């Protein structure tokens, strides 16, 4: 893999850390700012809202900006947002800082996925995208537990200062390692919007919303399930979250080669496996022996869906893939919010702490149904496939002296 992928992975590590670390710092933030934990929970929602809003908005505004420069601008905004969070004097300014930090998330991954796929041969595109996402999964193994421990010992502001420092490191890596890309790759907003309106792109985004919501229906309440049902001590939660991150990494490692070999079968298989794992999780959560294994499996099959979904959106919007790719991350964050809400509804209805796993299984099956429907419709419109094949040669960067020219 090119070293440029490492720069993207470092950036993804920082983004993944700041996205998930707030969940472990809510009691500390609430106590320091004099608010309740549920109110502090809106800081998680503020980041997700930033992702949903920022993905299409910033991608559209930056449609004509060269890809490398756009990555630098987005990572700069991410760094500023985390620095602002670290020095926020009160709750509302911290809420604004979290929203600001979330704005570049989807756009960065959208642009980054397109860049990663352009840096390698056609048959290795999915592996390149999956390698970038390894930074996100590593954040859940190392970054989130370390940042949470740092925040608990030195205060939550120290956590966001360190994340801002990671942002500065990522800026340096992007500036040094990302090559220039051809100017003809840059498309206008109108062309990006036309690509986004394609039925296959919309169906892929809908698959992400329903399918991945199944993961977050459980992940949002994982700590409570493990303590209230399984019987683990509060001190074990950090380790269990790290196990989820290990599962995510295993899923990302498997997703690249499988997606390069057979995209739709990988997507169908991962969603079907996710539904089965979620049903099994409902029962495994009652056993201290089975629960950790179930956590790893949930992370693995859950993240196995992300690469084929990302590649499917990019393929179907091939002539203008950046906005569609970024919108995929808006879809994932809608899945985050929707899955957490539906899981909470099930718990509030008195169905038990593990009921979100069954809710998640239903959501995964719904995502699988949408994916299969999209596949059937795609087979009936062969012209779309022929357009994709025809566009492959023209959209690959031309290397000049080993580096693509802008």
């Amino acid at each position: 893999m090119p070293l440029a992928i490492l720069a993207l992975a470092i950036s993804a590590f920082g983004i993944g850390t700041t996205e998930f670390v707030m969940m472990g710092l809510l009691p500390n933030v609430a106590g320091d700012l004099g608010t309740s934990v549920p109110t502090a929970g809106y800081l998680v929602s503020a980041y997700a809202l930033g992702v949903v809003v920022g993905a299409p908005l910033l991608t559209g505004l930056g449609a004509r900006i060269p890809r490398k420069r756009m990555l630098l601008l987005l990572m700069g905004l991410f760094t500023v947002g985390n620095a602002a969070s670290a020095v926020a004097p009160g709750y509302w300014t911290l809420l604004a800082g979290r929203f600001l930090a979330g704005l570049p998330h989807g756009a960065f991954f959208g642009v980054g996925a397109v860049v990663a796929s352009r840096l390698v041969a056609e048959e290795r595109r999915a592996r390149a995208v999956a390698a970038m996402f390894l930074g996100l999964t590593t954040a859940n193994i190392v970054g989130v537990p370390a940042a949470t421990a740092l925040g608990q010992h030195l205060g939550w502001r120290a956590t966001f200062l360190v994340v801002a420092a990671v942002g500065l490191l990522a800026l340096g890596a992007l500036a040094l390692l990302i090559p220039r890309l051809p100017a003809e790759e840059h498309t206008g907003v109108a062309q990006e919007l036309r690509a986004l309106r394609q039925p296959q792109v919309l169906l892929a985004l809908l698959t992400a919303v329903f399918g991945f919501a199944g993961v977050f229906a459980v992940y949002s309440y994982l700590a409570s399930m493990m303590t209230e049902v399984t019987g683990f001590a509060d001190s074990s939660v950090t380790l269990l979250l790290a196990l989820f991150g290990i599962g995510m990494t295993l899923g990302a490692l498997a997703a690249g080669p499988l997606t390069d070999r057979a995209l739709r079968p990988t997507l169908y298989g991962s969603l079907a496996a996710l539904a089965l794992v979620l049903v099994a999780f409902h029962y495994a959560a009652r056993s201290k022996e089975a629960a950790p294994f179930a956590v790893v499996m949930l992370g693995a099959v859950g993240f196995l869906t992300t690469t084929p979904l990302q590649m499917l959106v990019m393929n179907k919007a091939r002539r203008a893939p950046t906005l569609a790719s970024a919108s995929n991350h808006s879809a994932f964050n809608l899945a985050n919010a929707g899955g957490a809400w539906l899981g909470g509804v099930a718990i509030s209805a008195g169905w038990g702490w593990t009921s979100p796993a069954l809710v998640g299984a239903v959501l995964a099956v719904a995502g699988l149904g949408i994916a299969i429907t999209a596949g059937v419709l795609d087979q009936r419109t062969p012209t779309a496939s022929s357009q994709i094949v025809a566009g492959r040669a023209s959209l690959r960067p031309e290397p000049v002296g080993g580096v693509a020219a802008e």
Side-chain angles (χ1 to χ4, degrees), residues 15 39 48 74 86 101 128 173 190 219 230 256-257 261 270 298 302 316 320 324 360 374 382 388:
I15 293 173
T39 300
L74 292 169
Y219 183 77
T230 315
R261 180 173 297 180
S270 62
L298 178 63
K316 295 306 177 184
I388 292 170

Side-chain angles (χ1 to χ4, degrees), residues 50 53-63 65 70 74 77 102-105 107 323:
V53 172
L57 177 64
L58 296 183
T59 304
L61 291 174
I65 298 176
M70 185 64 177
L74 292 169
L77 182 59
L103 280 174
H105 177 126
L323 180 57

Side-chain angles (χ1 to χ4, degrees), residues 131-406:
M132 178 186 72
F133 282 127
L134 280 175
L136 186 64
T137 64
T138 304
N140 282 272
I141 301 174
V142 179
V144 173
T148 301
L150 179 69
Q152 290 171 345
H153 288 85
L154 299 180
W156 59 269
R157 297 180 188 276
T159 294
F160 292 110
L161 283 175
V162 169
V163 174
V166 174
L168 290 175
L169 175 64
L171 276 170
L174 292 169
L176 288 173
L177 299 177
I178 297 293
R180 293 176 178 269
L181 295 175
E184 63 266 22
E185 282 199 3
H186 309 302
T187 56
V189 177
Q191 188 174 351
E192 292 279 359
L193 288 173
R194 282 196 299 272
L196 188 61
R197 291 198 301 265
Q198 293 181 40
Q200 284 294 326
V201 173
L202 293 174
L203 286 170
L205 295 176
L206 199 59
T207 302
V209 170
F210 278 88
F212 212 67
V215 177
F216 278 99
V218 172
Y219 183 77
S220 302
Y221 304 99
L222 184 62
S224 297
M225 289 183 192
M226 294 296 100
T227 55
E228 299 293 335
V229 178
T230 315
F232 283 109
D234 291 341
S235 57
S236 302
V237 170
T238 300
L239 176 60
L240 291 166
L241 292 176
L243 288 176
F244 183 84
I246 290 173
M248 290 173 66
T249 303
L250 294 174
L253 289 170
L258 289 173
T259 303
D260 276 328
R261 180 173 297 180
L263 192 156
R264 285 200 187 272
T266 300
L267 179 58
Y268 300 155
S270 62
L271 287 169
L274 177 59
L276 292 173
V277 168
L278 284 165
V279 172
F281 193 97
H282 175 68
Y283 300 99
R286 296 176 173 84
S287 166
K288 280 191 175 182
E289 291 73 27
F293 178 73
V295 170
V296 174
M297 289 300 299
L298 178 63
V301 297
F303 214 78
L304 187 59
T305 65
T306 58
T307 298
L309 279 169
Q310 188 77 33
M311 296 306 301
L312 182 61
V313 166
M314 289 167 59
N315 285 347
K316 295 306 177 184
R318 189 145 196 151
R319 300 228 174 246
T322 309
L323 180 57
S325 179
S327 296
N328 204 35
H329 292 274
S330 291
F332 284 135
N333 275 268
L334 287 174
N336 184 342
W341 176 70
L342 289 172
V345 168
I347 294 171
S348 299
W351 296 351
W353 280 108
T354 60
S355 60
L358 299 180
V359 172
V362 173
L363 291 168
V365 170
L368 177 61
I370 296 168
I372 292 174
T373 300
V376 171
L377 292 176
D378 198 32
Q379 289 180 341
R380 295 178 181 176
T381 54
T383 53
S385 300
S386 63
Q387 289 172 354
I388 292 170
V389 173
R392 285 180 178 172
S394 62
L395 287 172
R396 200 180 307 167
E398 295 293 334
V400 178
V403 178
E406 187 166 64

